[in-house]
Amino acid sequence: MTTATDPMDSLASADPEIARLIGLEEGRQRDSLEMIPSENYASSAVMAAVGSVLTNKYAEGYPGARYYHGNEFVDIVESLAIDRATALFGMDHANVQPHSGAQANLAVYLGVIKPGDTVLGMKLDAGGHLTHGHSVNASGKLYSFVSYGVERETEVIDYDEMLAVAKEHRPKLIVVGATAYPRLIDFERAREIADEVDTVLMADMAHIAGLVAGGAHPTPAGNAQLITTSTHKTLRGPRGGMVLCDSKFRRRVDRGVFPGHQGGPMMHVIAGKAVMLKEAATSEFRAYAGQTVENARAVAETLAEAGIRPISGGTDTHLILLDVTTIGLDGQRAADSLERAGIVVNKNAIPFDELPPMTGGGIRFGTPAITSRGFGTAEAHRTGELIAEVLAAPDDEAVAERVKAEVKDLCDAFPAPGIPSA
Ligand SMILES: *Cc1c(COP(=O)(O)O)cnc(C)c1O
C-alpha cells in the first residue's frame, strides 16, 4: 500500500538539485515586488490542477472526437473549460488547447489565412508583439505584415493610420492588441476599419484578458470575430493560451490548433485553465481587476509627480511604460537598479525610441501581481515612491538596501497567493 506524500517531499528526495532551485525561486517570488506586467500569482487551486495526473493523458483531438481512448474524464474537463470560457467572454466558441499566447495567434493565422497573405498589425516599437509579424517569428516569415503605430504627440494608437494602411494594403486580417501599451484599445473603431475594407478583426487580449473578464477594460467580444489570449497574465491562470471566436470560425480555429501545429493537448493545464475561468467569473475577481487598474494609476501618478514621464501621460490599464531617458537613464540600467532593490520590472523600447532594443529607453511594469497580494491604492502609491527613489539614485547601494528592506516588509505584510510562507 502506498501512502500520500507531499509532492515537494518526493521531489526533494528524487532530485534535490531541482527541489532546491524551486525553493529559491519561491523565496524570490515571495520576497520581491513582481512588477513584470505579464506575470501574476496563480492560485494554489490552479497549481494543484496543473500538478495533477492529467499530465499523463494523451487526448489528441477534441471532446467526443479523440484519436486515443480513455478520455471519459478529460473530455468533461475540456468541455467545462470551453463552456466557462465562452460564458465568461461572451463568445460562441473557445479553443482551450493552445500551449501559449503565441500558439493561439499562430492557430488563427494557420486556420484563417494563407501563407503570403497580408496582415495589418501594430508596430513592435509602438507596443505590438513579436507574433504580430516580427521577421524572426513564424508570423513574419509566413505572412506579409504591414503595420500601424501610435501618434507621436499623444502616444495613443493612430486609428487614422490604421485605416489608411488598411485601405492601401487590403489585409486579410487586422490584428489589434499589444504587449506594451498602457491605454484602452478602441475595439469598436478597429471593427469599423475592418468593415470598411471588408476584412476580419482579431483582438489579441493576452495582456488585458483579466481586466476584460473583470469589467475593467472594454471587451473585444461583439467587435472582434477572433480573440486570442494568454491565460497566465492578468487572467491569473496556468501558463497557456486560448482562442475565442464566432461560430463561423470554429472549424478553422480548431484545425489551426490541431492538427495545424500542435500535437496532444496538455490536459493538466486545461484543467488549470478551467479552475482559473471559474475564479475569474467571481465578484472577488471583478474587484481584483478594478483594483489592479486603480493601483497602476496610483503608481503612474506618483512617478509623474516625481518628474519621470509615463508614456502617453499615464495608464488606463494594469501597465505602465516609463520613459527613463528624461532622467538620464536607459531601460537596462533602470531595470538593473530596481532589481537590486527587490523590484522586478523589464526594460522596454518606447515609441520612437532612439536607443537600441538591448538597452531600450524605457521600463515596463504593472500591478497584476502586487494586487494579487492584496495591495491597495496606498501601497501602490508607496511602491511608486520607492521606484522613484531608486531611479533617482540608481548606483546608490544604501538606497537600494533601504528600499529592499521596505519591500521585504511589504511582502511580509501582503503574502503572495499560492506561495507558502518562509
Ligand atoms: C504575451 C503576449 C503574447 C504571447 O503569449 P505567450 O503566452 O508568451 O506565448 C502574445 N500577444 C501579446 C499581445 C502578448 O502580450
Side-chain angles (χ1 to χ4, degrees):
M1 209 186 85
T2 54
T3 49
T5 50
D6 182 331
M8 278 302 160
D9 289 344
S10 34
L11 178 61
S13 60
D15 192 337
E17 213 177 348
I18 290 295
R20 189 181 75 90
L21 291 167
I22 293 175
L24 289 171
E25 171 63 11
E26 220 168 62
R28 192 194 66 83
Q29 292 186 18
R30 185 177 51 229
D31 297 334
S32 49
L33 293 184
E34 292 295 339
M35 297 195 75
I36 292 173
S38 47
E39 294 187 2
N40 213 329
Y41 295 107
S43 68
S44 304
V46 165
M47 288 192 286
V50 174
S52 72
V53 296
L54 270 60
T55 193
N56 298 334
K57 189 72 200 94
Y58 241 115
E60 275 186 359
Y62 291 102
R66 307 281 193 188
Y67 289 81
Y68 292 75
H69 283 70
N71 287 295
E72 54 187 309
F73 304 119
V74 295
D75 267 6
I76 303 173
V77 169
E78 184 167 351
S79 298
L80 268 173
I82 292 168
D83 292 347
R84 289 175 184 174
T86 53
L88 183 63
F89 291 108
M91 294 290 283
D92 297 334
H93 177 59
N95 186 307
V96 296
Q97 292 190 3
H99 300 329
S100 76
Q103 267 67 45
N105 288 349
L106 188 56
V108 168
Y109 302 149
L110 289 173
V112 175
I113 56 175
K114 291 191 182 58
D117 277 353
T118 300
V119 185
L120 173 58
M122 189 160 171
K123 287 188 181 84
L124 253 78
D125 62 6
H129 192 259
L130 266 175
T131 56
H132 300 176
H134 195 287
S135 60
V136 299
N137 182 260
S139 57
K141 292 181 198 286
L142 293 174
Y143 309 99
S144 173
F145 269 80
V146 291
S147 59
Y148 58 89
V150 294
E151 292 171 9
R152 195 176 269 274
E153 196 58 26
T154 59
E155 296 164 326
V156 166
I157 290 177
D158 188 344
Y159 295 95
D160 293 335
E161 184 186 17
M162 191 189 290
L163 176 62
V165 180
K167 278 183 164 166
E168 188 188 340
H169 293 277
R170 313 298 296 190
K172 289 280 172 12
L173 191 66
I174 295 180
V175 179
V176 292
T179 199
Y181 183 69
R183 293 303 184 175
L184 300 183
I185 294 175
D186 188 345
F187 298 115
E188 216 174 301
R189 178 97 166 88
R191 174 60 183 265
E192 281 167 17
I193 292 168
D195 284 346
E196 200 160 331
V197 297
D198 199 21
T199 192
V200 178
L201 181 65
M202 165 180 143
D204 177 349
M205 63 171 184
H207 256 272
I208 55 169
L211 307 183
V212 169
H217 188 294
T219 178
N223 287 307
Q225 296 100 323
L226 296 148
I227 301 175
T228 59
T229 187
S230 302
T231 51
H232 47 273
K233 297 183 181 179
T234 48
L235 261 183
R236 214 161 61 180
R239 190 153 292 279
M242 205 158 64
V243 183
L244 298 134
C245 62
D246 289 354
S247 51
K248 185 180 157 189
F249 291 101
R250 175 187 185 133
R251 201 181 135 73
R252 279 175 276 176
V253 163
D254 284 354
R255 290 187 63 79
V257 176
F258 173 84
H261 77 292
Q262 288 194 177
M266 300 192 193
M267 294 312 308
H268 56 309
V269 179
I270 290 174
K273 289 173 189 172
V275 174
M276 168 275 283
L277 290 161
K278 185 171 182 180
E279 291 174 353
T282 60
S283 55
E284 288 82 1
F285 193 86
R286 245 190 131 69
Y288 162 71
Q291 190 62 50
T292 298
V293 174
E294 286 305 310
N295 285 351
R297 282 212 184 97
V299 174
E301 278 167 20
T302 308
L303 286 161
E305 280 161 19
I308 320 175
R309 192 180 81 88
I311 293 295
S312 81
T315 181
D316 302 321
T317 65
H318 63 299
L319 180 148
I320 298 149
L321 190 57
L322 200 65
D323 178 357
V324 295
T325 60
T326 55
I327 53 165
L329 293 177
D330 61 50
Q332 179 78 51
R333 240 184 111 202
D336 284 348
S337 66
L338 287 166
E339 188 172 25
R340 283 193 292 274
I343 301 172
V344 188
V345 305
N346 61 264
K347 65 182 173 193
N348 213 98
I350 54 175
F352 311 102
D353 211 332
E354 282 163 16
L355 295 173
M358 279 311 288
T359 47
I363 53 174
R364 184 190 74 142
F365 52 99
T367 51
I370 61 170
T371 308
S372 288
R373 282 181 173 269
F375 274 31
T377 318
E379 291 78 26
H381 175 71
R382 184 64 191 143
T383 300
E385 289 178 341
L386 294 175
I387 293 171
E389 269 181 57
V390 173
L391 294 182
D395 301 316
D396 191 326
E397 287 297 323
V399 169
E401 282 308 310
R402 188 161 43 74
V403 171
K404 193 172 184 159
E406 188 170 338
V407 162
K408 176 76 167 74
D409 290 345
L410 277 167
C411 290
D412 289 346
F414 294 89
I419 298 185
S421 50

